[in-house]
Amino acid sequence: MSLRSRFGAAALAGSLLAFAALGVLAQPARAAAQCLEPGSWMRLDAAKPQAADAVSLLAAMARRDVVLLGEQHDDMDHHRWQLQTLAALHAQRPHMVIGFEMFPRRVQPVLDRWVAGELSEAAFLAEADWGRVWSMPAELYLPLFHFARLNRIPMVALNVDSALTRSVAQKGWAAVPEAEREGVGAAAAPSSEYEDFLYGIHRQHAGMGGHDRRPGGRRDASFRNFVDSQLTWDRAMAEALIAARSAHATAAGEAPLAVGIMGSGHVRFGHGVAHQLRDLGVASIGQLLPVVATTDCRQLRPGLADAVFALPAPIHSPPPPPRLGVALEEHADGVRIAEVSAGSLAEQSGLLSGDIVTEAAGSPMKRSIHLIAAVRQQPPGTWLPMKLKRGEETLEMVVRFPQQGR
């Protein structure tokens, strides 16, 4: 299944926006340009990144009206960092609401019931229509949802239904009837820098159509509609954060800290949600992003965010060795397959119980350990030729090892 068929054009563009936002920051750095230590904060309000004390930085953030925490949606460390930062902000300012890009406004009652402790985890995800409205595994976000429930922090659905952003992407904001806009107001015009960024995403999106489809220029209707759809997304989230602060203000008029959980593309350089917040009169905004510690610090330009947190570079476990899915026993003529597991690679390749493997990769198979070694040495995505005896027949067979992760 292609990305386009799974997500749809508008959602795919949004995913590209989030993934591209910090894509350049994921590249390994040359040692001379590396300035980050894992577990540290760096302020980006000067010409060069400056080390920041976590306590004073987060205390200052907790005094803002709105704090935006960016993410790459599929990176678990980004969500662990968000949880850590949420906990630190909550300790400073318990009067808080947490907004999530992941939920459209129509499921707000479900979020309220979850925070109130009325729903099981499974019921919450089902009633929030998680499998349809968001493409990422729920396990990435559940710690954040449980943090809100444990502390009775209101959760806010920041997004609109995908039908609206899809409609805007197809025909532009002005062509969408007001009754279909879910109450979202007209967005502030984007900065030229944001348009530049979106144009790069648009070109990348156009190149993923499965055929040679060249993107138009900046005045092309498809690009203008794409910009409108992203602005709709940003405006909707900004409006929802403001509305949540008003709805959860104390009797004395004290508004809570509103924390937004969203893709980094909506956060970087203040071009997205922060730009719309400022247009709506909110000036006290904090913007924080996670980056891998090996990031080339020349890419940490002033204004990318108020500060970044350096995540340790991930260490990936080596893939498990290939398995045929058979039980083996010694035989005078080679290695006998005593049993074939259902659904195994051996079954898919046509091996049968009773087959005697005499050669693999051109080498004679005298003992079970020889065949096991031949299989485990096989790289993903390659073929292992075998010779075997099946009754009176001598057969040649090829076992095709799948690509890693398939």
Side-chain angles (χ1 to χ4, degrees):
M1 180 179 293
S2 70
L3 281 172
R4 177 179 293 271
S5 61
R6 181 178 179 188
F7 298 130
L12 174 56
S15 297
L16 288 172
L17 175 69
F19 291 131
L22 290 180
V24 294
L25 302 182
Q27 300 300 320
R30 292 187 291 273
Q34 188 171 334
C35 65
L36 301 174
E37 291 292 334
S40 67
W41 286 94
M42 298 292 283
R43 293 185 359 258
L44 302 181
D45 55 0
K48 293 183 179 180
Q50 302 290 325
D53 173 67
V55 174
S56 58
L57 172 69
L58 293 171
M61 290 292 113
R63 292 191 292 269
R64 305 286 175 94
D65 292 337
V66 177
V67 175
L68 307 179
L69 304 182
E71 65 176 58
Q72 182 170 307
H73 301 316
D74 66 343
D75 193 319
M76 189 65 200
D77 268 356
H78 285 213
H79 301 296
R80 294 183 179 112
W81 165 79
Q82 287 173 329
L83 180 60
Q84 169 181 288
T85 306
L86 273 173
L89 292 171
H90 184 255
Q92 298 271 352
R93 191 170 168 186
H95 190 199
M96 172 189 284
V97 296
I98 308 172
F100 290 91
E101 178 193 358
M102 300 78 222
F103 297 104
R105 296 178 179 187
R106 63 180 173 80
V107 304
Q108 183 61 54
V110 182
L111 273 59
D112 296 339
R113 293 178 61 205
W114 163 257
V115 172
E118 298 175 6
L119 296 173
S120 69
E121 185 180 287
F124 167 61
L125 295 174
E127 293 190 29
D129 204 12
W130 180 268
R132 191 177 76 84
V133 303
W134 201 247
S135 61
M136 299 295 159
E139 290 75 14
L140 293 167
Y141 293 90
L142 281 170
L144 299 171
F145 303 156
H146 280 287
F147 176 79
R149 181 185 60 83
L150 287 171
N151 292 284
R152 292 299 192 260
I153 303 171
M155 290 173 57
V156 182
L158 297 183
N159 218 328
V160 291
D161 197 273
S162 59
L164 174 57
T165 51
R166 185 165 56 246
S167 180
V168 175
Q170 290 171 351
K171 53 189 179 184
W173 171 260
V176 176
E178 187 173 349
E180 298 177 10
R181 294 176 180 174
E182 296 191 39
V184 179
S191 66
S192 59
E193 294 85 356
Y194 196 32
E195 279 210 14
D196 290 343
F197 173 65
L198 293 177
Y199 188 64
I201 303 303
H202 180 68
R203 289 175 61 87
Q204 183 179 355
H205 177 218
M208 294 180 68
H211 56 281
D212 185 15
R213 183 165 69 89
R214 294 191 177 188
R218 291 172 186 259
R219 305 314 307 169
D220 183 80
S222 65
F223 175 60
R224 302 318 310 172
N225 294 347
F226 174 67
V227 172
D228 280 357
S229 71
Q230 298 304 319
L231 295 179
T232 300
W233 211 333
D234 293 331
R235 187 71 172 200
M237 291 196 282
E239 291 178 347
L241 287 166
I242 292 172
R245 295 191 78 235
S246 177
H248 294 279
T250 65
E254 180 188 351
L257 169 64
V259 181
I261 302 294
M262 60 189 63
S264 294
H266 298 287
V267 178
R268 65 191 301 276
F269 292 106
H271 296 325
V273 174
H275 179 65
Q276 300 301 325
L277 285 167
R278 288 189 291 268
D279 182 67
L280 291 163
V282 179
S284 180
I285 307 163
Q287 298 178 93
L288 304 174
L289 293 173
V291 297
V292 70
T294 52
T295 296
D296 185 332
C297 285
R298 290 170 294 191
Q299 297 174 0
L300 299 179
R301 291 162 46 199
L304 174 67
D306 288 287
V308 296
F309 182 82
L311 300 169
I315 299 176
H316 300 290
S317 300
R323 296 176 59 88
L324 276 179
V326 295
L328 303 174
E329 57 186 27
E330 310 296 329
H331 190 277
D333 296 329
V335 179
R336 183 177 181 274
I337 298 177
E339 184 179 349
V340 176
S341 299
S344 66
L345 183 59
E347 183 183 66
Q348 297 168 20
S349 302
L351 296 173
L352 302 177
S353 297
D355 286 347
I356 301 171
V357 180
T358 58
E359 285 187 17
S363 298
M365 297 290 106
K366 299 295 187 182
R367 299 177 57 196
S368 299
I369 193 171
H370 297 152
L371 181 56
I372 293 170
V375 170
R376 290 191 172 180
Q377 292 170 7
Q378 200 71 21
T382 58
W383 295 6
L384 177 63
M386 291 183 177
K387 286 186 179 180
L388 54 90
K389 290 183 177 179
R390 181 174 294 168
E392 299 299 320
E393 294 183 276
T394 297
L395 305 176
E396 293 188 0
M397 192 167 291
V398 174
V399 177
R400 295 170 174 83
F401 289 88
Q403 293 287 347
Q404 184 177 329
R406 295 186 182 177

